[in-house]
Amino acid sequence: MDQLCTWLAKQKQYYQQYCEGKTSCQKPHRIAKLESLGVTWAVRNAKWDIQYKKLVDFRNTYGTTIVPTKSFPDRNFSHWIIAQRAEYKAMKEGRDHNLDQDRIDRMNAVGFVWNVFDQKWREMYEELQKFRKEFGHVDVPEKYPANQPLAKWVGRQRLEYKMILEGEGMSKKCRLSQSRIKELQDIGFLF
């Protein structure tokens, strides 16, 4: 079995070189023959496509692409989700990554959320704007029964602002950026 695996890996290597134009194919009928046996040349692409289909199915079922990565029963899928976000972050930071534009476009087409934290922050900010529209201010009570998640979020923004003032702004626990501080201040938020 090991010899077969080694031989097949070598065929895939030759095929890759052929696709990249580094070598010519002397016997193209062999490619067709191997394909007829079910050989998948780009296993990584096939695996990616399988996980992508799961993402589309998840979005169609739940209406979101925010997969609960810590508790989702399909660990391969949840790890794939984490990996896509990590690759995207690496790309944004100018580091090596394995995402090509086609994959990014496909993910964007289904509304993939690349940064869950940013998305959640934006949703809560919109909730705060609704509160302001209804009540004329953004001073959400600490114990606001109509929207407890908003009350907690407002408290968190104040805590993170205090961390910045105390020099702890570079901590992983503090994600409040200067642009977010400005957004909050622009709607009358008092820290």
Side-chain angles (χ1 to χ4, degrees):
M1 186 63 141
D2 286 344
Q3 288 178 335
L4 177 61
C5 290
T6 303
W7 178 82
L8 188 55
K10 197 69 171 166
Q11 301 313 302
K12 288 182 179 188
Q13 184 180 11
Y14 291 146
Y15 182 79
Q16 183 69 33
Q17 291 170 352
Y18 166 69
C19 289
E20 292 170 357
K22 295 178 181 174
T23 185
S24 61
C25 183
Q26 302 296 325
K27 300 177 182 170
H29 67 280
R30 289 185 177 176
I31 293 172
K33 189 72 171 167
L34 287 169
E35 287 173 346
S36 74
L37 294 173
V39 170
T40 305
W41 298 109
V43 174
R44 278 199 171 129
N45 288 341
K47 286 181 181 179
W48 193 92
D49 287 340
I50 289 167
Q51 298 304 330
Y52 177 77
K53 168 108 176 56
K54 289 179 186 180
L55 175 65
V56 171
D57 291 345
F58 184 91
R59 195 258 345 248
N60 290 341
T61 301
Y62 299 103
T64 182
T65 60
I66 300 177
V67 177
T69 54
K70 291 182 181 168
S71 61
F72 199 72
D74 183 344
R75 300 304 292 158
N76 286 334
F77 178 54
S78 60
H79 287 296
W80 180 82
I81 293 290
I82 292 166
Q84 301 315 296
R85 290 189 177 121
E87 292 291 328
Y88 189 77
K89 183 179 179 188
M91 180 196 71
K92 287 292 192 185
E93 294 173 352
R95 295 183 287 123
D96 288 341
H97 62 89
N98 292 317
L99 271 182
D100 59 36
Q101 193 59 49
D102 177 60
R103 287 181 177 180
I104 292 169
D105 292 344
R106 289 173 67 190
M107 299 291 274
N108 287 338
V110 297
F112 186 70
V113 176
W114 294 104
N115 187 317
V116 175
F117 177 79
D118 286 347
Q119 176 72 21
K120 297 267 188 202
W121 193 93
R122 185 65 42 212
E123 288 170 5
M124 293 311 295
Y125 181 77
E126 289 170 10
E127 287 291 318
L128 183 61
Q129 287 180 313
K130 288 177 190 173
F131 181 93
R132 178 181 181 228
K133 187 175 182 179
E134 184 177 343
F135 297 104
H137 62 83
V138 291
D139 191 20
V140 179
E142 231 178 274
K143 301 220 186 272
Y144 179 53
N147 192 337
Q148 195 57 42
L150 177 61
K152 287 181 180 180
W153 181 82
V154 164
R156 182 68 195 179
Q157 303 317 295
R158 290 190 173 114
L159 174 66
E160 290 189 16
Y161 186 76
K162 182 179 175 189
M163 290 171 73
I164 290 169
L165 293 178
E166 294 173 354
E168 299 174 34
M170 299 305 286
S171 156
K172 282 189 175 185
K173 293 180 182 177
C174 182
R175 296 182 176 180
L176 188 62
S177 65
Q178 291 302 317
S179 62
R180 287 183 176 161
I181 291 170
K182 182 172 178 358
E183 279 186 80
L184 289 166
Q185 289 173 334
D186 285 350
I187 62 169
F189 189 85
L190 299 173
F191 290 95

mmCIF file of all heavy atoms in Angstrom, residues 6-41:
data_model
loop_
_atom_site.group_PDB
_atom_site.id
_atom_site.type_symbol
_atom_site.label_atom_id
_atom_site.label_comp_id
_atom_site.label_asym_id
_atom_site.label_seq_id
_atom_site.Cartn_x
_atom_site.Cartn_y
_atom_site.Cartn_z
ATOM 1 N N THR A 6 2.986 6.227 -2.592
ATOM 2 C CA THR A 6 4.164 6.957 -3.066
ATOM 3 C C THR A 6 4.062 7.195 -4.564
ATOM 4 O O THR A 6 4.330 8.296 -5.053
ATOM 5 C CB THR A 6 5.452 6.174 -2.726
ATOM 6 O OG1 THR A 6 5.494 5.963 -1.311
ATOM 7 C CG2 THR A 6 6.688 6.913 -3.173
ATOM 8 N N TRP A 7 3.673 6.163 -5.306
ATOM 9 C CA TRP A 7 3.548 6.276 -6.753
ATOM 10 C C TRP A 7 2.483 7.317 -7.131
ATOM 11 O O TRP A 7 2.707 8.162 -7.987
ATOM 12 C CB TRP A 7 3.198 4.914 -7.354
ATOM 13 C CG TRP A 7 3.001 4.958 -8.841
ATOM 14 C CD1 TRP A 7 3.962 4.922 -9.809
ATOM 15 C CD2 TRP A 7 1.750 5.075 -9.522
ATOM 16 N NE1 TRP A 7 3.392 5.008 -11.055
ATOM 17 C CE2 TRP A 7 2.029 5.102 -10.906
ATOM 18 C CE3 TRP A 7 0.428 5.157 -9.100
ATOM 19 C CZ2 TRP A 7 1.035 5.210 -11.867
ATOM 20 C CZ3 TRP A 7 -0.567 5.258 -10.064
ATOM 21 C CH2 TRP A 7 -0.262 5.287 -11.431
ATOM 22 N N LEU A 8 1.336 7.278 -6.451
ATOM 23 C CA LEU A 8 0.257 8.212 -6.748
ATOM 24 C C LEU A 8 0.670 9.647 -6.410
ATOM 25 O O LEU A 8 0.389 10.577 -7.167
ATOM 26 C CB LEU A 8 -1.026 7.835 -5.996
ATOM 27 C CG LEU A 8 -2.270 8.626 -6.359
ATOM 28 C CD1 LEU A 8 -2.554 8.566 -7.861
ATOM 29 C CD2 LEU A 8 -3.460 8.122 -5.563
ATOM 30 N N ALA A 9 1.363 9.815 -5.308
ATOM 31 C CA ALA A 9 1.853 11.146 -4.945
ATOM 32 C C ALA A 9 2.790 11.677 -6.025
ATOM 33 O O ALA A 9 2.756 12.864 -6.368
ATOM 34 C CB ALA A 9 2.560 11.104 -3.596
ATOM 35 N N LYS A 10 3.612 10.806 -6.564
ATOM 36 C CA LYS A 10 4.544 11.200 -7.634
ATOM 37 C C LYS A 10 3.768 11.588 -8.895
ATOM 38 O O LYS A 10 4.120 12.569 -9.567
ATOM 39 C CB LYS A 10 5.511 10.033 -7.915
ATOM 40 C CG LYS A 10 6.729 10.420 -8.679
ATOM 41 C CD LYS A 10 7.618 11.288 -7.813
ATOM 42 C CE LYS A 10 8.949 11.529 -8.470
ATOM 43 N NZ LYS A 10 9.676 12.606 -7.830
ATOM 44 N N GLN A 11 2.700 10.853 -9.214
ATOM 45 C CA GLN A 11 1.891 11.188 -10.383
ATOM 46 C C GLN A 11 1.258 12.573 -10.213
ATOM 47 O O GLN A 11 1.205 13.365 -11.157
ATOM 48 C CB GLN A 11 0.797 10.129 -10.624
ATOM 49 C CG GLN A 11 1.302 8.717 -10.834
ATOM 50 C CD GLN A 11 2.455 8.638 -11.818
ATOM 51 O OE1 GLN A 11 2.328 9.047 -12.971
ATOM 52 N NE2 GLN A 11 3.583 8.118 -11.362
ATOM 53 N N LYS A 12 0.796 12.839 -9.006
ATOM 54 C CA LYS A 12 0.196 14.147 -8.725
ATOM 55 C C LYS A 12 1.237 15.258 -8.832
ATOM 56 O O LYS A 12 0.942 16.347 -9.311
ATOM 57 C CB LYS A 12 -0.460 14.153 -7.351
ATOM 58 C CG LYS A 12 -1.729 13.326 -7.310
ATOM 59 C CD LYS A 12 -2.384 13.374 -5.952
ATOM 60 C CE LYS A 12 -3.676 12.556 -5.967
ATOM 61 N NZ LYS A 12 -4.437 12.722 -4.749
ATOM 62 N N GLN A 13 2.456 14.951 -8.418
ATOM 63 C CA GLN A 13 3.545 15.921 -8.530
ATOM 64 C C GLN A 13 3.837 16.208 -10.014
ATOM 65 O O GLN A 13 3.986 17.365 -10.413
ATOM 66 C CB GLN A 13 4.791 15.390 -7.828
ATOM 67 C CG GLN A 13 5.943 16.359 -7.800
ATOM 68 C CD GLN A 13 7.158 15.770 -7.082
ATOM 69 O OE1 GLN A 13 7.222 14.578 -6.786
ATOM 70 N NE2 GLN A 13 8.119 16.625 -6.805
ATOM 71 N N TYR A 14 3.903 15.159 -10.818
ATOM 72 C CA TYR A 14 4.120 15.329 -12.265
ATOM 73 C C TYR A 14 2.986 16.150 -12.882
ATOM 74 O O TYR A 14 3.210 17.016 -13.721
ATOM 75 C CB TYR A 14 4.207 13.976 -12.983
ATOM 76 C CG TYR A 14 5.439 13.168 -12.672
ATOM 77 C CD1 TYR A 14 5.366 11.782 -12.631
ATOM 78 C CD2 TYR A 14 6.675 13.768 -12.431
ATOM 79 C CE1 TYR A 14 6.492 11.011 -12.355
ATOM 80 C CE2 TYR A 14 7.806 13.014 -12.155
ATOM 81 C CZ TYR A 14 7.711 11.641 -12.116
ATOM 82 O OH TYR A 14 8.820 10.882 -11.848
ATOM 83 N N TYR A 15 1.765 15.836 -12.461
ATOM 84 C CA TYR A 15 0.612 16.544 -12.990
ATOM 85 C C TYR A 15 0.680 18.035 -12.634
ATOM 86 O O TYR A 15 0.402 18.898 -13.465
ATOM 87 C CB TYR A 15 -0.687 15.924 -12.457
ATOM 88 C CG TYR A 15 -1.920 16.594 -13.009
ATOM 89 C CD1 TYR A 15 -2.379 16.297 -14.296
ATOM 90 C CD2 TYR A 15 -2.636 17.517 -12.258
ATOM 91 C CE1 TYR A 15 -3.510 16.911 -14.814
ATOM 92 C CE2 TYR A 15 -3.769 18.129 -12.767
ATOM 93 C CZ TYR A 15 -4.197 17.828 -14.048
ATOM 94 O OH TYR A 15 -5.311 18.432 -14.567
ATOM 95 N N GLN A 16 1.072 18.338 -11.416
ATOM 96 C CA GLN A 16 1.206 19.730 -10.974
ATOM 97 C C GLN A 16 2.245 20.457 -11.829
ATOM 98 O O GLN A 16 2.024 21.584 -12.266
ATOM 99 C CB GLN A 16 1.595 19.787 -9.487
ATOM 100 C CG GLN A 16 1.686 21.189 -8.925
ATOM 101 C CD GLN A 16 0.336 21.870 -8.822
ATOM 102 O OE1 GLN A 16 -0.679 21.238 -8.586
ATOM 103 N NE2 GLN A 16 0.316 23.182 -9.021
ATOM 104 N N GLN A 17 3.370 19.800 -12.064
ATOM 105 C CA GLN A 17 4.422 20.396 -12.906
ATOM 106 C C GLN A 17 3.902 20.626 -14.324
ATOM 107 O O GLN A 17 4.202 21.640 -14.954
ATOM 108 C CB GLN A 17 5.660 19.505 -12.918
ATOM 109 C CG GLN A 17 6.386 19.471 -11.594
ATOM 110 C CD GLN A 17 7.471 18.396 -11.538
ATOM 111 O OE1 GLN A 17 7.592 17.564 -12.433
ATOM 112 N NE2 GLN A 17 8.245 18.417 -10.465
ATOM 113 N N TYR A 18 3.112 19.698 -14.822
ATOM 114 C CA TYR A 18 2.511 19.814 -16.149
ATOM 115 C C TYR A 18 1.574 21.024 -16.197
ATOM 116 O O TYR A 18 1.611 21.835 -17.124
ATOM 117 C CB TYR A 18 1.761 18.521 -16.506
ATOM 118 C CG TYR A 18 0.839 18.630 -17.683
ATOM 119 C CD1 TYR A 18 1.328 18.800 -18.980
ATOM 120 C CD2 TYR A 18 -0.538 18.540 -17.509
ATOM 121 C CE1 TYR A 18 0.476 18.893 -20.065
ATOM 122 C CE2 TYR A 18 -1.400 18.630 -18.589
ATOM 123 C CZ TYR A 18 -0.890 18.808 -19.864
ATOM 124 O OH TYR A 18 -1.738 18.897 -20.937
ATOM 125 N N CYS A 19 0.739 21.197 -15.167
ATOM 126 C CA CYS A 19 -0.210 22.310 -15.115
ATOM 127 C C CYS A 19 0.509 23.655 -15.012
ATOM 128 O O CYS A 19 0.012 24.667 -15.508
ATOM 129 C CB CYS A 19 -1.163 22.145 -13.928
ATOM 130 S SG CYS A 19 -2.341 20.801 -14.164
ATOM 131 N N GLU A 20 1.653 23.656 -14.366
ATOM 132 C CA GLU A 20 2.430 24.895 -14.210
ATOM 133 C C GLU A 20 3.310 25.174 -15.422
ATOM 134 O O GLU A 20 4.030 26.165 -15.455
ATOM 135 C CB GLU A 20 3.289 24.809 -12.947
ATOM 136 C CG GLU A 20 2.464 24.804 -11.670
ATOM 137 C CD GLU A 20 3.281 24.476 -10.421
ATOM 138 O OE1 GLU A 20 4.500 24.182 -10.547
ATOM 139 O OE2 GLU A 20 2.699 24.518 -9.329
ATOM 140 N N GLY A 21 3.273 24.276 -16.419
ATOM 141 C CA GLY A 21 4.052 24.469 -17.632
ATOM 142 C C GLY A 21 5.520 24.147 -17.472
ATOM 143 O O GLY A 21 6.341 24.502 -18.321
ATOM 144 N N LYS A 22 5.874 23.460 -16.416
ATOM 145 C CA LYS A 22 7.277 23.129 -16.169
ATOM 146 C C LYS A 22 7.724 21.880 -16.908
ATOM 147 O O LYS A 22 8.906 21.611 -17.017
ATOM 148 C CB LYS A 22 7.515 22.945 -14.664
ATOM 149 C CG LYS A 22 7.321 24.223 -13.867
ATOM 150 C CD LYS A 22 7.516 23.974 -12.389
ATOM 151 C CE LYS A 22 7.301 25.250 -11.593
ATOM 152 N NZ LYS A 22 7.338 25.011 -10.153
ATOM 153 N N THR A 23 6.758 21.119 -17.386
ATOM 154 C CA THR A 23 7.061 19.889 -18.125
ATOM 155 C C THR A 23 5.939 19.637 -19.126
ATOM 156 O O THR A 23 4.843 20.168 -18.984
ATOM 157 C CB THR A 23 7.229 18.693 -17.158
ATOM 158 O OG1 THR A 23 7.642 17.555 -17.899
ATOM 159 C CG2 THR A 23 5.952 18.374 -16.428
ATOM 160 N N SER A 24 6.215 18.823 -20.120
ATOM 161 C CA SER A 24 5.162 18.479 -21.076
ATOM 162 C C SER A 24 4.625 17.093 -20.732
ATOM 163 O O SER A 24 5.274 16.314 -20.031
ATOM 164 C CB SER A 24 5.713 18.495 -22.503
ATOM 165 O OG SER A 24 6.744 17.535 -22.637
ATOM 166 N N CYS A 25 3.440 16.819 -21.206
ATOM 167 C CA CYS A 25 2.817 15.528 -20.938
ATOM 168 C C CYS A 25 3.014 14.636 -22.151
ATOM 169 O O CYS A 25 2.458 14.886 -23.223
ATOM 170 C CB CYS A 25 1.342 15.714 -20.625
ATOM 171 S SG CYS A 25 0.529 14.172 -20.187
ATOM 172 N N GLN A 26 3.811 13.589 -21.995
ATOM 173 C CA GLN A 26 4.099 12.683 -23.099
ATOM 174 C C GLN A 26 2.938 11.723 -23.377
ATOM 175 O O GLN A 26 2.745 11.287 -24.502
ATOM 176 C CB GLN A 26 5.371 11.860 -22.786
ATOM 177 C CG GLN A 26 6.611 12.700 -22.520
ATOM 178 C CD GLN A 26 7.041 13.495 -23.744
ATOM 179 O OE1 GLN A 26 6.910 13.044 -24.876
ATOM 180 N NE2 GLN A 26 7.546 14.705 -23.520
ATOM 181 N N LYS A 27 2.163 11.428 -22.336
ATOM 182 C CA LYS A 27 1.085 10.449 -22.487
ATOM 183 C C LYS A 27 -0.195 10.953 -21.812
ATOM 184 O O LYS A 27 -0.548 10.509 -20.715
ATOM 185 C CB LYS A 27 1.525 9.117 -21.891
ATOM 186 C CG LYS A 27 2.781 8.586 -22.597
ATOM 187 C CD LYS A 27 3.279 7.319 -21.983
ATOM 188 C CE LYS A 27 4.561 6.917 -22.733
ATOM 189 N NZ LYS A 27 5.264 5.854 -22.116
ATOM 190 N N PRO A 28 -0.903 11.913 -22.456
ATOM 191 C CA PRO A 28 -2.097 12.498 -21.844
ATOM 192 C C PRO A 28 -3.207 11.484 -21.561
ATOM 193 O O PRO A 28 -4.036 11.709 -20.680
ATOM 194 C CB PRO A 28 -2.554 13.552 -22.857
ATOM 195 C CG PRO A 28 -1.826 13.256 -24.119
ATOM 196 C CD PRO A 28 -0.608 12.465 -23.768
ATOM 197 N N HIS A 29 -3.211 10.362 -22.287
ATOM 198 C CA HIS A 29 -4.243 9.347 -22.037
ATOM 199 C C HIS A 29 -4.135 8.783 -20.618
ATOM 200 O O HIS A 29 -5.107 8.324 -20.054
ATOM 201 C CB HIS A 29 -4.159 8.222 -23.084
ATOM 202 C CG HIS A 29 -2.897 7.404 -22.979
ATOM 203 N ND1 HIS A 29 -1.691 7.845 -23.507
ATOM 204 C CD2 HIS A 29 -2.669 6.197 -22.412
ATOM 205 C CE1 HIS A 29 -0.762 6.921 -23.253
ATOM 206 N NE2 HIS A 29 -1.337 5.916 -22.604
ATOM 207 N N ARG A 30 -2.935 8.851 -20.037
ATOM 208 C CA ARG A 30 -2.762 8.359 -18.659
ATOM 209 C C ARG A 30 -3.488 9.256 -17.658
ATOM 210 O O ARG A 30 -4.021 8.774 -16.662
ATOM 211 C CB ARG A 30 -1.278 8.258 -18.312
ATOM 212 C CG ARG A 30 -0.590 7.126 -19.041
ATOM 213 C CD ARG A 30 0.832 6.984 -18.580
ATOM 214 N NE ARG A 30 1.476 5.847 -19.240
ATOM 215 C CZ ARG A 30 2.738 5.540 -19.074
ATOM 216 N NH1 ARG A 30 3.516 6.268 -18.296
ATOM 217 N NH2 ARG A 30 3.250 4.496 -19.693
ATOM 218 N N ILE A 31 -3.498 10.551 -17.937
ATOM 219 C CA ILE A 31 -4.227 11.481 -17.064
ATOM 220 C C ILE A 31 -5.703 11.102 -17.066
ATOM 221 O O ILE A 31 -6.323 10.952 -16.006
ATOM 222 C CB ILE A 31 -4.029 12.944 -17.530
ATOM 223 C CG1 ILE A 31 -2.572 13.364 -17.334
ATOM 224 C CG2 ILE A 31 -4.975 13.892 -16.780
ATOM 225 C CD1 ILE A 31 -2.224 14.711 -17.945
ATOM 226 N N ALA A 32 -6.259 10.914 -18.266
ATOM 227 C CA ALA A 32 -7.675 10.558 -18.394
ATOM 228 C C ALA A 32 -7.969 9.225 -17.716
ATOM 229 O O ALA A 32 -9.008 9.052 -17.068
ATOM 230 C CB ALA A 32 -8.071 10.515 -19.861
ATOM 231 N N LYS A 33 -7.051 8.288 -17.854
ATOM 232 C CA LYS A 33 -7.238 6.960 -17.251
ATOM 233 C C LYS A 33 -7.281 7.062 -15.722
ATOM 234 O O LYS A 33 -8.151 6.469 -15.073
ATOM 235 C CB LYS A 33 -6.102 6.028 -17.711
ATOM 236 C CG LYS A 33 -6.297 4.596 -17.338
ATOM 237 C CD LYS A 33 -7.399 3.981 -18.179
ATOM 238 C CE LYS A 33 -7.442 2.488 -17.950
ATOM 239 N NZ LYS A 33 -8.655 1.906 -18.492
ATOM 240 N N LEU A 34 -6.340 7.829 -15.149
ATOM 241 C CA LEU A 34 -6.327 8.002 -13.695
ATOM 242 C C LEU A 34 -7.588 8.733 -13.220
ATOM 243 O O LEU A 34 -8.161 8.386 -12.190
ATOM 244 C CB LEU A 34 -5.057 8.734 -13.251
ATOM 245 C CG LEU A 34 -3.776 7.905 -13.329
ATOM 246 C CD1 LEU A 34 -2.547 8.780 -13.131
ATOM 247 C CD2 LEU A 34 -3.795 6.782 -12.303
ATOM 248 N N GLU A 35 -8.011 9.734 -13.981
ATOM 249 C CA GLU A 35 -9.240 10.454 -13.624
ATOM 250 C C GLU A 35 -10.444 9.523 -13.666
ATOM 251 O O GLU A 35 -11.344 9.626 -12.832
ATOM 252 C CB GLU A 35 -9.446 11.656 -14.544
ATOM 253 C CG GLU A 35 -8.484 12.776 -14.242
ATOM 254 C CD GLU A 35 -8.542 13.915 -15.243
ATOM 255 O OE1 GLU A 35 -9.132 13.745 -16.343
ATOM 256 O OE2 GLU A 35 -7.979 14.986 -14.935
ATOM 257 N N SER A 36 -10.473 8.605 -14.613
ATOM 258 C CA SER A 36 -11.588 7.661 -14.705
ATOM 259 C C SER A 36 -11.630 6.727 -13.500
ATOM 260 O O SER A 36 -12.669 6.174 -13.168
ATOM 261 C CB SER A 36 -11.514 6.854 -16.004
ATOM 262 O OG SER A 36 -10.484 5.875 -15.930
ATOM 263 N N LEU A 37 -10.474 6.561 -12.847
ATOM 264 C CA LEU A 37 -10.407 5.744 -11.628
ATOM 265 C C LEU A 37 -10.769 6.556 -10.373
ATOM 266 O O LEU A 37 -10.792 6.018 -9.278
ATOM 267 C CB LEU A 37 -8.999 5.155 -11.468
ATOM 268 C CG LEU A 37 -8.587 4.136 -12.532
ATOM 269 C CD1 LEU A 37 -7.107 3.777 -12.355
ATOM 270 C CD2 LEU A 37 -9.448 2.888 -12.443
ATOM 271 N N GLY A 38 -11.007 7.867 -10.568
ATOM 272 C CA GLY A 38 -11.408 8.703 -9.437
ATOM 273 C C GLY A 38 -10.280 9.493 -8.800
ATOM 274 O O GLY A 38 -10.449 10.035 -7.705
ATOM 275 N N VAL A 39 -9.128 9.573 -9.461
ATOM 276 C CA VAL A 39 -8.016 10.337 -8.913
ATOM 277 C C VAL A 39 -8.372 11.827 -8.944
ATOM 278 O O VAL A 39 -8.810 12.352 -9.964
ATOM 279 C CB VAL A 39 -6.707 10.077 -9.702
ATOM 280 C CG1 VAL A 39 -5.612 11.049 -9.278
ATOM 281 C CG2 VAL A 39 -6.256 8.645 -9.489
ATOM 282 N N THR A 40 -8.229 12.470 -7.805
ATOM 283 C CA THR A 40 -8.439 13.903 -7.700
ATOM 284 C C THR A 40 -7.071 14.549 -7.638
ATOM 285 O O THR A 40 -6.288 14.276 -6.731
ATOM 286 C CB THR A 40 -9.238 14.246 -6.417
ATOM 287 O OG1 THR A 40 -10.448 13.498 -6.430
ATOM 288 C CG2 THR A 40 -9.545 15.716 -6.349
ATOM 289 N N TRP A 41 -6.782 15.389 -8.614
ATOM 290 C CA TRP A 41 -5.444 15.967 -8.708
ATOM 291 C C TRP A 41 -5.185 17.007 -7.626
ATOM 292 O O TRP A 41 -4.113 17.069 -7.067
ATOM 293 C CB TRP A 41 -5.229 16.588 -10.090
ATOM 294 C CG TRP A 41 -5.327 15.567 -11.170
ATOM 295 C CD1 TRP A 41 -6.327 15.446 -12.071
ATOM 296 C CD2 TRP A 41 -4.418 14.495 -11.436
ATOM 297 N NE1 TRP A 41 -6.106 14.374 -12.898
ATOM 298 C CE2 TRP A 41 -4.926 13.770 -12.524
ATOM 299 C CE3 TRP A 41 -3.219 14.070 -10.861
ATOM 300 C CZ2 TRP A 41 -4.287 12.659 -13.059
ATOM 301 C CZ3 TRP A 41 -2.581 12.968 -11.392
ATOM 302 C CH2 TRP A 41 -3.111 12.275 -12.465
#
